[in-house]
Amino acid sequence: MKQIKLRAIEPEDLDLLYRIENDVELWNVGTSNVPYSRYLLHDYVANAKNDIYTDRQVRMMVENSDGKIVGVVDLVSFDPANCRAEVGLIILNSYRRQGYGTAVLAQISDYALRILHLHQLYAYIDIENNSSLKLFQKAGFVVASEIKDWLYDGAKFRDSLLVQYVF
């Protein structure tokens, strides 16, 4: 398995976050489909406590063994009462299909179980995003349900799969 490190977001990561959040190609694979201003992202980086209990989310940069940023992973919609969170993962194009996604999901799952004491992680995956579905299934996530017309790409609604990993 690829060696990776998850770390807190630093101010130096702002340009990369700006590019990721404003990449319209990524809008069609997730639930976010609006641009973020540099100011808003700067404010997030500056003011996030990086405490999932305070912020109800945590976002981390993913570095490879050479210290290069290969992606971003986050836990959002944190629900401490029901011990669950939604996981989001972006691996930069030049690092895809190299095992980084698998390593990130293994490490974030371990963090969720051992540090946060969560009972489950979940994600919504566009039904047509076969590579993401295979990645999450390889990491132990199972399809819990199919949700009709869940994602809108500006032209049509698409179905989504809810995948879960129950510890």
Side-chain angles (χ1 to χ4, degrees):
M1 187 173 303
K2 287 283 189 182
Q3 294 298 311
I4 58 153
K5 175 180 151 186
L6 303 181
R7 66 161 176 81
I9 295 175
E10 299 289 348
E12 298 80 32
D13 300 320
L14 184 61
D15 288 338
L16 177 60
L17 283 175
Y18 182 78
R19 285 194 309 272
I20 289 171
E21 294 293 351
N22 291 292
D23 183 345
V24 292
E25 302 226 348
L26 295 174
W27 291 356
N28 290 333
V29 297
T31 55
S32 176
N33 60 1
V34 295
Y36 284 88
S37 70
R38 191 174 301 278
Y39 174 80
L40 185 65
L41 290 170
H42 178 272
D43 190 55
Y44 169 78
V45 171
N47 294 310
K49 305 294 185 231
N50 221 29
D51 175 0
I52 196 166
Y53 292 94
T54 301
D55 298 334
R56 293 293 191 240
Q57 65 177 347
V58 65
R59 175 173 275 184
M60 293 179 264
M61 304 306 288
V62 181
E63 289 184 351
N64 66 12
S65 58
D66 296 328
K68 303 276 191 218
I69 297 171
V70 300
V72 180
V73 64
D74 50 24
L75 296 176
V76 298
S77 302
F78 174 60
D79 182 349
N82 292 297
C83 302
R84 66 177 173 241
E86 180 179 354
V87 62
L89 170 63
I90 296 171
I91 300 296
L92 301 175
N93 285 340
S94 57
Y95 295 101
R96 290 185 184 160
R97 292 179 178 31
Q98 297 177 35
Y100 289 110
T102 301
V104 172
L105 287 177
Q107 197 164 335
I108 200 72
S109 296
D110 184 66
Y111 172 77
L113 174 64
R114 297 187 193 289
I115 305 300
L116 301 177
H117 308 290
L118 296 184
H119 176 63
Q120 65 179 287
L121 294 175
Y122 64 93
Y124 296 100
I125 300 174
D126 185 319
I127 199 163
E128 296 175 13
N129 190 342
N130 291 323
S131 58
S132 285
L133 180 60
K134 287 178 185 175
L135 169 66
F136 276 81
Q137 287 177 320
K138 182 178 178 182
F141 285 71
V142 296
V143 175
S145 65
E146 182 176 327
I147 306 169
K148 300 292 183 190
D149 293 344
W150 193 251
L151 301 170
Y152 183 63
D153 65 9
K156 65 177 183 167
F157 286 94
R158 294 181 328 278
D159 298 346
S160 180
L161 299 171
L162 171 63
V163 296
Q164 292 177 292
Y165 186 95
V166 178
F167 299 106

